[in-house]
Amino acid sequence: MKKFLFLLTLTTCSILAAQTDSRIYDIINNVSAERIKTDVTKLVGFGTRHTLSDTVSKTRGIGAARRWIKSEFETISSDCDNCLEVFYQKNLVKKGENNRITKDVWVNNVVAIQKGTKYPNRYIIMSGDIDSRVSDANNFESDSPGANDNASGMAGTIEASRVLSKYKFENSIIYVGLSGEEQGLFGGKGLAAYAKEKGWEIIGIFNNDMIGNIKGVDGIISNTDFRIFSEPTPPTETEQQRTLRRFYGGEVDGISRQLARYVHANVKTYMPEMNPMLIYRLDRFGRGGHHRPFNDAGFAGIRIMEAHENYTQQHQDIRTENGIEYGDVLKHVNFEYAAKLTAVNAINLASIAWAPPAPKKVAIGGIVEASAKLEWNKIVGAKGYKIYWRDTTSPTWDHSRYVENTTSFTLEGVVIDNFFFGVAAVGENGNESVVVFPNEIIKN
Ligand SMILES: [Zn+2]
Protein backbone atom coordinates (compact mmCIF):
# COMPACT_ATOMS: atom_id res chain seq x y z
CA MET A 1 0.00 0.00 0.00
CA LYS A 2 2.81 2.35 0.94
CA LYS A 3 4.58 1.63 -2.33
CA PHE A 4 1.40 2.28 -4.25
CA LEU A 5 0.96 5.66 -2.59
CA PHE A 6 4.54 6.60 -3.43
CA LEU A 7 4.02 5.75 -7.08
CA LEU A 8 0.84 7.75 -7.15
CA THR A 9 2.65 10.82 -5.80
CA LEU A 10 5.37 10.47 -8.42
CA THR A 11 2.84 10.33 -11.23
CA THR A 12 1.05 13.42 -9.95
CA CYS A 13 4.35 15.32 -9.82
CA SER A 14 5.29 14.49 -13.38
CA ILE A 15 1.90 15.64 -14.62
CA LEU A 16 2.32 18.95 -12.81
CA ALA A 17 5.87 19.38 -14.09
CA ALA A 18 4.67 18.83 -17.63
CA GLN A 19 2.58 22.00 -17.39
CA THR A 20 5.56 24.29 -17.13
CA ASP A 21 8.60 24.66 -19.36
CA SER A 22 11.77 25.34 -17.35
CA ARG A 23 13.28 27.35 -20.20
CA ILE A 24 10.67 30.02 -19.44
CA TYR A 25 12.21 30.62 -15.99
CA ASP A 26 15.64 31.04 -17.60
CA ILE A 27 14.19 33.64 -19.96
CA ILE A 28 12.80 35.63 -17.01
CA ASN A 29 16.18 35.49 -15.25
CA ASN A 30 18.10 36.57 -18.33
CA VAL A 31 16.29 39.88 -18.84
CA SER A 32 18.61 42.62 -17.62
CA ALA A 33 17.43 45.89 -16.01
CA GLU A 34 20.98 47.16 -16.40
CA ARG A 35 20.99 46.70 -20.20
CA ILE A 36 17.54 48.29 -20.46
CA LYS A 37 18.87 51.27 -18.51
CA THR A 38 21.83 51.57 -20.89
CA ASP A 39 19.54 51.51 -23.92
CA VAL A 40 16.94 53.96 -22.56
CA THR A 41 19.83 56.30 -21.70
CA LYS A 42 21.20 55.94 -25.22
CA LEU A 43 17.79 56.71 -26.78
CA VAL A 44 17.26 59.74 -24.53
CA GLY A 45 20.72 60.92 -25.64
CA PHE A 46 19.47 61.56 -29.18
CA GLY A 47 17.87 64.77 -27.81
CA THR A 48 14.64 64.35 -29.71
CA ARG A 49 13.25 61.39 -31.64
CA HIS A 50 10.33 63.34 -33.04
CA THR A 51 9.10 61.81 -36.31
CA LEU A 52 9.70 65.08 -38.17
CA SER A 53 13.11 65.74 -36.59
CA ASP A 54 16.60 65.71 -38.14
CA THR A 55 17.54 62.59 -40.10
CA VAL A 56 21.06 63.60 -41.13
CA SER A 57 22.82 64.30 -37.83
CA LYS A 58 24.84 61.44 -36.38
CA THR A 59 23.97 62.40 -32.82
CA ARG A 60 20.53 64.05 -32.72
CA GLY A 61 17.08 63.25 -34.09
CA ILE A 62 15.02 60.35 -35.39
CA GLY A 63 17.57 59.40 -38.08
CA ALA A 64 20.41 58.84 -35.63
CA ALA A 65 18.04 57.00 -33.29
CA ARG A 66 16.77 54.53 -35.88
CA ARG A 67 20.26 53.89 -37.24
CA TRP A 68 21.40 53.06 -33.72
CA ILE A 69 18.44 50.71 -33.14
CA LYS A 70 19.19 48.96 -36.43
CA SER A 71 22.87 48.58 -35.56
CA GLU A 72 21.90 47.21 -32.14
CA PHE A 73 19.72 44.51 -33.72
CA GLU A 74 22.58 43.74 -36.13
CA THR A 75 25.01 43.30 -33.25
CA ILE A 76 22.56 40.96 -31.50
CA SER A 77 22.19 39.05 -34.75
CA SER A 78 25.94 38.64 -35.21
CA ASP A 79 26.01 37.10 -31.71
CA CYS A 80 23.50 34.40 -32.74
CA ASP A 81 24.96 33.29 -36.06
CA ASN A 82 22.88 35.89 -37.97
CA CYS A 83 19.59 34.63 -36.54
CA LEU A 84 17.90 38.00 -37.09
CA GLU A 85 16.87 39.47 -40.42
CA VAL A 86 17.18 43.23 -39.86
CA PHE A 87 15.75 45.91 -42.17
CA TYR A 88 13.89 49.21 -42.43
CA GLN A 89 10.26 48.99 -43.38
CA LYS A 90 9.72 52.43 -44.91
CA ASN A 91 6.51 54.43 -45.31
CA LEU A 92 6.27 57.81 -47.04
CA VAL A 93 3.65 59.97 -45.31
CA LYS A 94 2.63 63.07 -47.25
CA LYS A 95 2.31 66.56 -45.81
CA GLY A 96 -1.26 67.24 -44.72
CA GLU A 97 -2.16 63.57 -44.15
CA ASN A 98 -3.35 65.01 -40.85
CA ASN A 99 -2.52 68.22 -39.00
CA ARG A 100 0.47 66.59 -37.31
CA ILE A 101 2.23 65.91 -40.60
CA THR A 102 3.53 69.34 -41.54
CA LYS A 103 5.95 68.09 -44.21
CA ASP A 104 6.51 64.95 -46.29
CA VAL A 105 8.25 62.42 -44.08
CA TRP A 106 9.60 58.89 -44.26
CA VAL A 107 8.25 56.92 -41.32
CA ASN A 108 10.80 54.13 -41.02
CA ASN A 109 10.23 51.14 -38.78
CA VAL A 110 13.22 49.04 -37.70
CA VAL A 111 12.33 45.36 -38.04
CA ALA A 112 14.25 42.33 -36.74
CA ILE A 113 12.84 38.90 -37.62
CA GLN A 114 13.88 35.67 -35.94
CA LYS A 115 12.61 33.08 -38.39
CA GLY A 116 10.74 30.07 -37.09
CA THR A 117 12.12 26.62 -37.87
CA LYS A 118 8.78 24.98 -38.56
CA TYR A 119 6.27 27.74 -39.33
CA PRO A 120 8.39 30.59 -40.73
CA ASN A 121 5.35 32.44 -42.10
CA ARG A 122 3.60 32.59 -38.73
CA TYR A 123 4.62 35.65 -36.70
CA ILE A 124 4.26 36.83 -33.14
CA ILE A 125 5.33 40.47 -32.73
CA MET A 126 6.71 42.63 -29.94
CA SER A 127 6.84 46.36 -30.57
CA GLY A 128 8.08 49.53 -28.96
CA ASP A 129 8.09 53.03 -30.45
CA ILE A 130 11.05 55.01 -31.69
CA ASP A 131 9.51 58.48 -31.69
CA SER A 132 8.89 61.01 -28.92
CA ARG A 133 7.13 64.35 -28.45
CA VAL A 134 6.73 67.34 -26.11
CA SER A 135 3.69 69.54 -25.29
CA ASP A 136 3.16 70.66 -28.89
CA ALA A 137 2.82 67.49 -30.98
CA ASN A 138 4.36 69.28 -33.97
CA ASN A 139 7.42 70.66 -32.19
CA PHE A 140 10.29 68.63 -33.64
CA GLU A 141 13.15 70.78 -32.37
CA SER A 142 12.89 71.02 -28.58
CA ASP A 143 14.47 68.38 -26.38
CA SER A 144 12.05 65.46 -26.14
CA PRO A 145 13.67 62.69 -24.12
CA GLY A 146 10.66 60.35 -24.19
CA ALA A 147 12.40 58.22 -21.58
CA ASN A 148 9.27 56.36 -20.58
CA ASP A 149 7.17 57.21 -23.67
CA ASN A 150 8.50 55.25 -25.30
CA ALA A 151 12.21 54.56 -24.96
CA SER A 152 11.16 52.09 -22.26
CA GLY A 153 9.13 50.00 -24.73
CA MET A 154 11.84 50.29 -27.38
CA ALA A 155 14.60 49.22 -24.99
CA GLY A 156 12.43 46.36 -23.73
CA THR A 157 11.95 45.15 -27.30
CA ILE A 158 15.69 45.22 -27.98
CA GLU A 159 16.37 43.39 -24.70
CA ALA A 160 13.77 40.70 -25.48
CA SER A 161 15.56 40.05 -28.78
CA ARG A 162 18.89 39.69 -26.94
CA VAL A 163 17.44 37.08 -24.59
CA LEU A 164 15.32 35.13 -27.08
CA SER A 165 17.91 35.08 -29.86
CA LYS A 166 19.72 32.42 -27.79
CA TYR A 167 16.86 29.99 -28.53
CA LYS A 168 15.29 28.41 -31.60
CA PHE A 169 11.54 28.69 -32.11
CA GLU A 170 9.06 26.93 -34.36
CA ASN A 171 7.19 30.14 -35.17
CA SER A 172 8.79 33.42 -36.21
CA ILE A 173 9.24 36.31 -33.79
CA ILE A 174 9.37 39.94 -34.91
CA TYR A 175 10.99 42.60 -32.72
CA VAL A 176 10.14 46.01 -34.09
CA GLY A 177 10.69 49.67 -33.39
CA LEU A 178 7.70 51.49 -34.84
CA SER A 179 7.86 55.17 -35.72
CA GLY A 180 5.29 57.91 -36.32
CA GLU A 181 3.23 56.86 -33.29
CA GLU A 182 2.69 60.34 -31.88
CA GLN A 183 1.87 61.78 -35.32
CA GLY A 184 -1.00 59.33 -35.94
CA LEU A 185 0.06 55.66 -35.59
CA PHE A 186 1.72 55.70 -39.03
CA GLY A 187 4.43 53.12 -38.33
CA GLY A 188 1.97 50.48 -37.16
CA LYS A 189 -0.30 51.20 -40.09
CA GLY A 190 2.64 50.77 -42.47
CA LEU A 191 3.83 47.49 -40.98
CA ALA A 192 0.31 46.02 -40.80
CA ALA A 193 -0.17 46.82 -44.50
CA TYR A 194 3.26 45.34 -45.28
CA ALA A 195 2.31 42.13 -43.41
CA LYS A 196 -0.91 41.86 -45.43
CA GLU A 197 0.92 42.42 -48.70
CA LYS A 198 3.50 39.74 -47.82
CA GLY A 199 0.79 37.27 -46.75
CA TRP A 200 2.23 36.96 -43.25
CA GLU A 201 0.11 35.00 -40.81
CA ILE A 202 0.14 37.29 -37.78
CA ILE A 203 -0.59 35.46 -34.52
CA GLY A 204 -0.66 38.80 -32.73
CA ILE A 205 1.23 41.88 -31.60
CA PHE A 206 2.28 42.96 -28.11
CA ASN A 207 2.44 46.73 -28.28
CA ASN A 208 4.61 48.03 -25.45
CA ASP A 209 3.98 51.68 -24.82
CA MET A 210 5.26 53.05 -21.50
CA ILE A 211 6.53 50.17 -19.38
CA GLY A 212 8.75 52.03 -16.91
CA ASN A 213 6.71 54.25 -14.61
CA ILE A 214 5.65 52.87 -11.22
CA LYS A 215 4.48 56.06 -9.48
CA GLY A 216 1.05 57.17 -10.65
CA VAL A 217 -0.36 60.67 -10.79
CA ASP A 218 -2.98 59.26 -8.37
CA GLY A 219 -0.24 58.68 -5.78
CA ILE A 220 -0.29 54.91 -6.08
CA ILE A 221 3.11 53.25 -6.34
CA SER A 222 3.32 49.67 -7.55
CA ASN A 223 6.11 47.73 -9.21
CA THR A 224 3.91 44.69 -9.84
CA ASP A 225 0.68 46.07 -11.35
CA PHE A 226 0.47 46.32 -15.13
CA ARG A 227 -2.31 46.54 -17.71
CA ILE A 228 -3.22 44.46 -20.74
CA PHE A 229 -5.61 46.33 -23.04
CA SER A 230 -7.61 44.42 -25.62
CA GLU A 231 -10.65 45.20 -27.71
CA PRO A 232 -13.64 42.83 -27.36
CA THR A 233 -14.15 41.85 -31.01
CA PRO A 234 -12.39 42.72 -34.28
CA PRO A 235 -13.63 45.77 -36.22
CA THR A 236 -13.31 43.70 -39.40
CA GLU A 237 -16.05 41.22 -38.53
CA THR A 238 -18.96 40.79 -40.92
CA GLU A 239 -22.60 41.62 -40.38
CA GLN A 240 -23.31 37.89 -40.32
CA GLN A 241 -20.72 37.26 -37.59
CA ARG A 242 -22.31 40.03 -35.55
CA THR A 243 -25.76 38.50 -35.96
CA LEU A 244 -24.56 35.00 -34.98
CA ARG A 245 -22.86 36.39 -31.90
CA ARG A 246 -26.21 37.60 -30.63
CA PHE A 247 -27.46 34.02 -30.45
CA TYR A 248 -24.30 32.05 -29.69
CA GLY A 249 -22.23 34.51 -27.63
CA GLY A 250 -18.75 35.92 -28.04
CA GLU A 251 -19.22 39.60 -27.17
CA VAL A 252 -16.04 39.55 -25.09
CA ASP A 253 -14.21 36.76 -26.91
CA GLY A 254 -12.54 38.23 -29.99
CA ILE A 255 -8.99 37.29 -31.05
CA SER A 256 -7.32 40.19 -29.24
CA ARG A 257 -9.13 39.34 -26.02
CA GLN A 258 -7.93 35.72 -26.28
CA LEU A 259 -4.37 36.98 -26.73
CA ALA A 260 -4.81 39.15 -23.63
CA ARG A 261 -6.09 36.16 -21.64
CA TYR A 262 -3.12 34.12 -22.85
CA VAL A 263 -0.65 36.68 -21.51
CA HIS A 264 -2.59 36.97 -18.26
CA ALA A 265 -2.63 33.20 -17.68
CA ASN A 266 1.02 32.75 -18.60
CA VAL A 267 2.10 35.50 -16.21
CA LYS A 268 0.01 33.97 -13.42
CA THR A 269 1.82 30.67 -14.04
CA TYR A 270 5.41 31.84 -14.44
CA MET A 271 5.54 35.24 -12.70
CA PRO A 272 3.03 34.88 -9.86
CA GLU A 273 4.49 37.90 -8.08
CA MET A 274 3.09 40.17 -10.82
CA ASN A 275 -0.41 41.60 -10.95
CA PRO A 276 -1.63 41.63 -14.55
CA MET A 277 -4.86 43.58 -15.07
CA LEU A 278 -7.07 42.61 -17.98
CA ILE A 279 -8.61 45.84 -19.20
CA TYR A 280 -11.65 45.28 -21.36
CA ARG A 281 -11.12 48.10 -23.84
CA LEU A 282 -9.07 48.82 -26.94
CA ASP A 283 -6.88 51.35 -25.17
CA ARG A 284 -7.02 54.07 -22.52
CA PHE A 285 -10.15 56.25 -22.65
CA GLY A 286 -10.04 58.24 -25.87
CA ARG A 287 -6.31 57.63 -26.41
CA GLY A 288 -4.49 55.50 -28.93
CA GLY A 289 -1.60 53.12 -29.41
CA HIS A 290 0.25 51.16 -32.03
CA HIS A 291 -1.68 47.88 -31.65
CA ARG A 292 -4.76 49.60 -33.11
CA PRO A 293 -3.64 49.66 -36.77
CA PHE A 294 -3.04 45.90 -36.48
CA ASN A 295 -6.55 45.45 -35.05
CA ASP A 296 -7.86 47.61 -37.91
CA ALA A 297 -6.26 45.16 -40.34
CA GLY A 298 -7.95 42.21 -38.62
CA PHE A 299 -4.93 41.02 -36.60
CA ALA A 300 -4.94 40.24 -32.87
CA GLY A 301 -3.13 42.89 -30.87
CA ILE A 302 -2.90 44.09 -27.30
CA ARG A 303 -1.25 46.91 -25.40
CA ILE A 304 0.99 46.04 -22.47
CA MET A 305 1.84 48.93 -20.16
CA GLU A 306 2.28 50.29 -16.65
CA ALA A 307 -0.83 50.49 -14.48
CA HIS A 308 -0.20 53.90 -12.90
CA GLU A 309 0.56 56.66 -15.38
CA ASN A 310 1.94 60.07 -14.57
CA TYR A 311 0.70 62.78 -16.93
CA THR A 312 3.16 65.40 -15.77
CA GLN A 313 5.80 63.16 -17.32
CA GLN A 314 4.14 62.51 -20.68
CA HIS A 315 4.15 64.74 -23.77
CA GLN A 316 5.53 67.66 -21.75
CA ASP A 317 8.01 70.44 -22.36
CA ILE A 318 10.75 70.07 -19.78
CA ARG A 319 10.05 72.78 -17.20
CA THR A 320 9.22 73.48 -13.57
CA GLU A 321 5.85 75.07 -12.86
CA ASN A 322 4.39 75.72 -9.41
CA GLY A 323 7.02 73.43 -7.96
CA ILE A 324 6.11 70.56 -10.29
CA GLU A 325 8.83 69.19 -12.57
CA TYR A 326 7.36 68.39 -15.96
CA GLY A 327 8.98 66.19 -18.59
CA ASP A 328 9.52 62.58 -19.62
CA VAL A 329 13.05 62.37 -18.26
CA LEU A 330 15.32 59.49 -17.38
CA LYS A 331 15.06 59.72 -13.60
CA HIS A 332 11.39 58.72 -13.58
CA VAL A 333 11.98 55.37 -15.28
CA ASN A 334 12.15 52.35 -13.01
CA PHE A 335 14.39 49.94 -14.89
CA GLU A 336 13.67 46.94 -12.67
CA TYR A 337 9.98 47.34 -13.47
CA ALA A 338 10.70 47.80 -17.20
CA ALA A 339 12.69 44.55 -17.00
CA LYS A 340 9.71 42.75 -15.44
CA LEU A 341 7.38 43.89 -18.21
CA THR A 342 10.03 42.95 -20.76
CA ALA A 343 10.09 39.48 -19.21
CA VAL A 344 6.27 39.39 -19.47
CA ASN A 345 6.65 39.93 -23.21
CA ALA A 346 9.58 37.57 -23.62
CA ILE A 347 7.92 34.59 -21.94
CA ASN A 348 4.75 35.06 -23.97
CA LEU A 349 6.65 35.45 -27.24
CA ALA A 350 8.53 32.25 -26.37
CA SER A 351 5.46 30.24 -25.31
CA ILE A 352 3.56 31.18 -28.44
CA ALA A 353 6.58 30.71 -30.70
CA TRP A 354 7.15 27.23 -29.22
CA ALA A 355 3.47 26.26 -29.47
CA PRO A 356 1.74 24.58 -32.39
CA PRO A 357 -0.74 26.65 -34.43
CA ALA A 358 -4.19 27.11 -32.91
CA PRO A 359 -7.04 25.20 -34.55
CA LYS A 360 -8.65 27.28 -37.30
CA LYS A 361 -12.01 25.62 -36.90
CA VAL A 362 -13.65 25.05 -33.54
CA ALA A 363 -17.25 23.85 -33.62
CA ILE A 364 -19.60 23.52 -30.67
CA GLY A 365 -22.93 21.83 -30.04
CA GLY A 366 -25.18 20.72 -27.21
CA ILE A 367 -28.51 22.50 -27.45
CA VAL A 368 -31.00 20.98 -24.94
CA GLU A 369 -28.49 18.39 -23.73
CA ALA A 370 -26.73 17.76 -20.43
CA SER A 371 -23.33 18.01 -22.13
CA ALA A 372 -21.34 20.24 -24.45
CA LYS A 373 -19.56 18.87 -27.52
CA LEU A 374 -16.53 20.40 -29.21
CA GLU A 375 -14.87 19.55 -32.52
CA TRP A 376 -11.79 21.09 -34.11
CA ASN A 377 -9.41 20.52 -36.99
CA LYS A 378 -6.36 18.33 -36.44
CA ILE A 379 -3.11 20.20 -35.89
CA VAL A 380 -0.03 18.39 -37.16
CA GLY A 381 2.64 18.79 -34.49
CA ALA A 382 0.21 19.10 -31.58
CA LYS A 383 0.62 16.56 -28.79
CA GLY A 384 -2.91 17.20 -27.60
CA TYR A 385 -5.56 19.82 -27.09
CA LYS A 386 -6.97 21.69 -24.15
CA ILE A 387 -10.67 22.41 -23.96
CA TYR A 388 -11.30 25.45 -21.81
CA TRP A 389 -14.48 26.78 -20.32
CA ARG A 390 -15.52 29.44 -17.85
CA ASP A 391 -18.57 31.00 -16.25
CA THR A 392 -20.09 33.58 -18.59
CA THR A 393 -19.17 36.35 -16.13
CA SER A 394 -15.55 35.25 -15.63
CA PRO A 395 -12.74 37.09 -17.45
CA THR A 396 -10.39 34.07 -17.38
CA TRP A 397 -10.47 30.47 -18.67
CA ASP A 398 -10.96 28.83 -15.29
CA HIS A 399 -11.67 25.21 -16.22
CA SER A 400 -9.92 22.90 -18.63
CA ARG A 401 -9.79 19.35 -19.88
CA TYR A 402 -6.74 17.99 -21.71
CA VAL A 403 -7.27 15.39 -24.46
CA GLU A 404 -4.99 13.47 -26.83
CA ASN A 405 -5.47 11.52 -30.06
CA THR A 406 -8.84 13.02 -30.87
CA THR A 407 -10.33 16.07 -32.53
CA SER A 408 -13.65 16.01 -30.72
CA PHE A 409 -14.78 15.65 -27.15
CA THR A 410 -17.98 15.75 -25.15
CA LEU A 411 -17.90 17.39 -21.73
CA GLU A 412 -20.48 15.35 -19.83
CA GLY A 413 -22.50 17.24 -17.26
CA VAL A 414 -21.41 20.63 -18.52
CA VAL A 415 -24.45 22.50 -19.81
CA ILE A 416 -23.63 24.63 -22.84
CA ASP A 417 -25.91 27.51 -21.80
CA ASN A 418 -24.03 28.26 -18.60
CA PHE A 419 -20.45 28.61 -19.84
CA PHE A 420 -18.25 29.92 -22.62
CA PHE A 421 -15.88 27.46 -24.31
CA GLY A 422 -12.66 27.43 -26.32
CA VAL A 423 -9.94 25.08 -27.60
CA ALA A 424 -6.13 25.42 -27.68
CA ALA A 425 -3.49 23.16 -29.25
CA VAL A 426 -0.74 21.88 -26.94
CA GLY A 427 2.83 21.18 -28.05
CA GLU A 428 5.28 18.44 -27.06
CA ASN A 429 6.82 20.67 -24.36
CA GLY A 430 3.49 21.79 -22.93
CA ASN A 431 3.40 25.18 -24.62
CA GLU A 432 -0.08 26.11 -25.78
CA SER A 433 -1.54 28.06 -28.63
CA VAL A 434 -3.93 30.93 -27.99
CA VAL A 435 -7.47 29.71 -27.20
CA VAL A 436 -9.91 29.74 -30.11
CA PHE A 437 -13.53 30.61 -29.40
CA PRO A 438 -15.99 28.41 -31.35
CA ASN A 439 -16.61 29.68 -34.85
CA GLU A 440 -18.98 26.96 -36.08
CA ILE A 441 -22.11 25.26 -34.73
CA ILE A 442 -22.56 21.48 -34.66
CA LYS A 443 -26.14 20.92 -35.78
CA ASN A 444 -27.92 17.96 -34.23
ZN1 LIG B 1 2.98 59.12 -26.31
Side-chain angles (χ1 to χ4, degrees):
M1 186 63 194
K2 236 181 187 165
K3 199 168 185 183
F4 173 73
L5 268 181
F6 176 66
L7 272 177
L8 199 73
T9 319
L10 259 187
T11 322
T12 317
C13 286
S14 73
I15 289 167
L16 283 177
Q19 291 173 346
T20 56
D21 183 336
S22 64
R23 293 172 297 181
I24 298 286
Y25 295 109
D26 298 333
I27 289 169
I28 296 168
N29 292 335
N30 288 337
V31 172
S32 159
E34 212 35 60
R35 285 193 297 255
I36 290 172
K37 182 180 180 181
T38 304
D39 291 353
V40 172
T41 308
K42 181 74 192 181
L43 286 162
V44 166
F46 292 111
T48 175
R49 304 185 305 282
H50 193 283
T51 300
L52 302 171
S53 65
D54 192 317
T55 58
V56 180
S57 164
K58 286 194 166 70
T59 54
R60 187 178 173 86
I62 185 88
R66 68 191 174 213
R67 284 190 293 276
W68 174 77
I69 293 165
K70 185 164 179 276
S71 76
E72 208 53 30
F73 280 136
E74 283 163 350
T75 302
I76 294 163
S77 185
S78 66
D79 288 346
C80 62
D81 210 8
N82 298 317
C83 75
L84 300 179
E85 201 180 298
V86 183
F87 61 95
Y88 290 124
Q89 189 276 312
K90 300 182 178 185
N91 310 281
L92 179 63
V93 181
K94 291 286 211 181
K95 176 182 173 176
E97 178 76 30
N98 66 24
N99 57 19
R100 290 187 183 179
I101 300 292
T102 53
K103 56 184 176 187
D104 289 1
V105 63
W106 282 98
V107 170
N108 297 351
N109 300 317
V110 185
V111 184
I113 304 180
Q114 187 174 358
K115 277 283 179 186
T117 54
K118 200 165 169 186
Y119 313 104
N121 199 43
R122 290 169 43 79
Y123 299 87
I124 180 75
I125 309 172
M126 176 179 181
S127 74
D129 301 306
I130 306 172
D131 60 310
S132 65
R133 60 165 283 195
V134 287
S135 302
D136 172 4
N138 293 351
N139 174 353
F140 56 83
E141 278 172 331
S142 294
D143 273 348
S144 176
N148 191 42
D149 181 13
N150 188 11
S152 65
M154 188 65 250
T157 303
I158 296 170
E159 176 63 4
S161 79
R162 274 191 203 106
V163 173
L164 297 183
S165 58
K166 306 291 180 232
Y167 299 86
K168 291 258 180 284
F169 297 97
E170 295 180 4
N171 297 280
S172 296
I173 300 176
I174 299 177
Y175 314 94
V176 60
L178 298 172
S179 194
E181 199 267 346
E182 306 289 5
Q183 306 316 108
L185 310 176
F186 289 105
K189 202 172 154 194
L191 187 64
Y194 183 84
K196 283 236 140 159
E197 181 194 306
K198 294 273 173 191
W200 288 355
E201 200 182 324
I202 303 293
I203 303 165
I205 181 167
F206 303 149
N207 166 36
N208 287 263
D209 196 344
M210 294 190 275
I211 61 167
N213 182 61
I214 63 165
K215 190 176 176 186
V217 76
D218 52 7
I220 296 175
I221 303 175
S222 167
N223 62 1
T224 54
D225 298 351
F226 72 95
R227 294 180 290 180
I228 309 165
F229 286 90
S230 62
E231 64 178 1
T233 54
T236 50
E237 70 177 355
T238 62
E239 194 62 42
Q240 192 200 16
Q241 284 170 316
R242 228 188 329 269
T243 304
L244 289 174
R245 198 171 66 220
R246 195 166 169 224
F247 299 100
Y248 299 112
E251 291 84 353
V252 293
D253 276 276
I255 51 175
S256 295
R257 186 60 50 75
Q258 303 307 348
L259 188 62
R261 287 197 182 99
Y262 186 96
V263 171
H264 184 272
N266 224 15
V267 169
K268 287 282 186 190
T269 302
Y270 289 105
M271 301 176 72
E273 71 281 12
M274 297 301 285
N275 177 33
M277 301 155 67
L278 283 172
I279 310 286
Y280 272 30
R281 60 194 333 159
L282 167 65
D283 207 323
R284 290 96 25 95
F285 188 89
R287 291 186 287 165
H290 248 152
H291 54 305
R292 190 171 86 209
F294 288 85
N295 294 161
D296 290 339
F299 299 132
I302 59 175
R303 177 185 187 126
I304 294 174
M305 74 175 301
E306 64 207 29
H308 308 289
E309 291 181 61
N310 197 323
Y311 312 117
T312 60
Q313 297 157 20
Q314 289 175 19
H315 303 178
Q316 297 286 355
D317 291 338
I318 302 170
R319 68 195 191 280
T320 304
E321 231 174 71
N322 301 325
I324 300 167
E325 290 180 52
Y326 289 86
D328 189 355
V329 296
L330 202 57
K331 69 175 177 188
H332 299 307
V333 179
N334 184 297
F335 301 105
E336 291 293 335
Y337 178 71
K340 288 179 193 176
L341 295 204
T342 298
V344 164
N345 281 267
I347 67 172
N348 283 289
L349 291 172
S351 295
I352 289 179
W354 273 323
K360 281 215 166 26
K361 179 200 110 168
V362 173
I364 188 164
I367 296 176
V368 296
E369 280 174 40
S371 59
K373 183 175 189 187
L374 288 122
E375 278 174 16
W376 54 92
N377 63 290
K378 185 180 164 68
I379 301 296
V380 179
K383 180 166 184 274
Y385 306 89
K386 224 163 178 180
I387 302 165
Y388 283 99
W389 68 101
R390 67 180 205 270
D391 286 2
T392 59
T393 51
S394 174
T396 48
W397 291 114
D398 302 315
H399 316 291
S400 68
R401 167 70 198 245
Y402 177 69
V403 297
E404 282 182 6
N405 308 315
T406 182
T407 55
S408 71
F409 194 76
T410 301
L411 296 163
E412 299 292 348
V414 179
V415 176
I416 195 170
D417 307 328
N418 303 342
F419 303 94
F420 290 139
F421 301 83
V423 177
V426 184
E428 214 43 71
N429 43 32
N431 290 299
E432 297 180 26
S433 75
V434 178
V435 174
V436 177
F437 195 79
N439 44 32
E440 275 184 37
I441 303 301
I442 305 168
K443 296 259 162 52
N444 289 345

